[in-house]
Amino acid sequence: MTKLQWAVIAGALALFLVLYLGCDRKPEDIASLETSRALSVESTDINLVIQEAKAALEPAQATLISGLEQDLESSLEDSIRVGLYKELSGEWYQLQRFSIAGYYAQQVAEVENNEGAWSIAGTTYSICTQRTDEERIKSFCSKRAIQAFENAISLNPENLANRVNLALTYTNNPPEDNPMKGVLMLRELNQEQPDNVLVLNALGRLSIRTGQFENAIKRLGAALEADPQNATTICLLAQAYEGAGNAEQANAYAEQCRQLRQ
């Protein structure tokens, strides 16, 4: 990706959305083995996805992507390859092929192996889960997002954003054997840090999504007390009051939201 595109996605970490697994710390070799097993049962082949996407490109787009791929094949230096991975991720992101953008962001993370790179990979895959209706792609992106956020958490367990985003990934694509996993992860975080605005906003957003508007107002009201100028909280309150049928409050918060977003 370009520096601007990576900055945009990095900024989205604070509001991606689109929750924390109280995961045990595992030895690196065991974690790698588990990752390999998970990827071996993925629902789709990323190479096939790339081929299908390339077939739908305009000639100029196809030429640009092909040129970057050729440069990548001929390059042996990690620093150059990382730059090309970022460019490819950025181009596919602009084309709204988020599964492919996530794949190349993951290649960056595997080389750099730092929290920021894994967070960007996880966020890109998470955007994919929100923007696609194709189940095989959604499943592919969900599994990869989970792995990326878990890697980011292992590198910096204290960064709450990655833990929230992991839980939100589970709420966006709940496991069949544990559909409440993401919700329970959020609640656990809320018990650990009851006044954390990021967690309260996530819970409020989830309540809005499920039609629990009064509960959303309660959660978001607590978030607003902790941070009265938080734009995300105020904008979500507009939605919550609208859903609850309180037009006066909804309009008031919607106006505040517009002012803060300008």
Side-chain angles (χ1 to χ4, degrees):
M1 295 186 183
T2 65
K3 290 182 178 179
L4 176 59
Q5 290 161 345
W6 275 71
V8 168
I9 293 180
L13 291 173
L15 44 121
F16 161 60
L17 304 158
V18 241
L19 303 145
Y20 161 77
L21 174 62
C23 53
D24 297 328
R25 307 288 180 261
K26 299 174 182 175
E28 185 174 349
D29 56 343
I30 296 177
S32 298
L33 178 59
E34 292 180 352
T35 297
S36 298
R37 287 173 177 169
L39 297 183
S40 69
V41 294
E42 281 181 333
S43 58
T44 193
D45 179 355
I46 189 61
N47 293 314
L48 179 59
V49 174
I50 293 173
Q51 290 175 13
E52 292 172 348
K54 287 167 68 175
L57 293 178
E58 298 292 334
Q61 296 169 338
T63 299
L64 176 59
I65 294 294
S66 178
L68 290 171
E69 289 177 336
Q70 290 174 11
D71 290 343
L72 187 59
E73 289 178 3
S74 62
S75 177
L76 298 177
E77 295 184 25
D78 280 349
S79 60
I80 295 176
R81 293 179 67 82
V82 164
L84 291 167
Y85 287 143
K86 289 182 178 181
E87 287 191 60
L88 281 163
S89 184
E91 293 299 330
W92 285 114
Y93 189 93
Q94 292 296 317
L95 292 166
Q96 298 189 32
R97 297 284 188 164
F98 300 110
S99 59
I100 306 174
Y103 169 74
Y104 282 113
Q106 180 184 339
Q107 304 311 301
V108 174
E110 288 179 351
V111 175
E112 295 186 341
N113 196 33
N114 59 52
E115 179 201 357
W118 281 115
S119 296
I120 289 174
T123 300
T124 309
Y125 278 129
S126 296
I127 292 170
C128 166
T129 67
Q130 299 174 72
R131 301 289 185 87
T132 183
D133 295 324
E134 193 172 352
E135 284 304 320
R136 69 184 181 101
I137 300 297
K138 182 177 290 189
S139 176
F140 169 84
C141 289
S142 179
K143 289 178 180 178
R144 295 275 180 138
I146 288 167
Q147 290 155 7
F149 285 132
E150 286 180 343
N151 286 341
I153 291 166
S154 71
L155 290 166
N156 184 8
E158 302 306 315
N159 187 344
L160 194 70
N162 291 318
R163 298 168 65 185
V164 171
N165 288 340
L166 175 61
L168 287 169
T169 301
Y170 280 115
T171 65
N172 286 330
N173 196 25
E176 291 184 4
D177 61 341
N178 190 3
M180 292 294 291
K181 183 170 186 174
V183 177
L184 294 174
M185 290 161 65
L186 267 185
R187 289 176 180 172
E188 181 182 339
L189 277 177
N190 185 232
Q191 289 176 351
E192 290 180 16
Q193 301 191 40
D195 298 322
N196 187 277
V197 173
L198 184 61
V199 176
L200 289 167
N201 281 345
L203 285 166
R205 186 185 300 273
L206 185 60
S207 294
I208 291 171
R209 187 194 304 174
T210 55
Q212 301 176 63
F213 300 112
E214 294 299 332
N215 191 41
I217 290 169
K218 178 181 177 181
R219 298 284 193 186
L220 296 168
L224 196 63
E225 287 184 15
D227 184 0
Q229 295 301 311
N230 189 283
T232 299
T233 304
I234 290 169
C235 295
L236 286 172
L237 273 167
Q239 297 177 37
Y241 275 111
E242 181 180 6
N246 189 330
E248 182 178 355
Q249 288 283 52
N251 291 334
Y253 281 112
E255 179 58 30
Q256 291 183 52
C257 176
R258 282 191 290 272
Q259 292 177 1
L260 289 169
R261 295 298 193 194
Q262 288 178 353

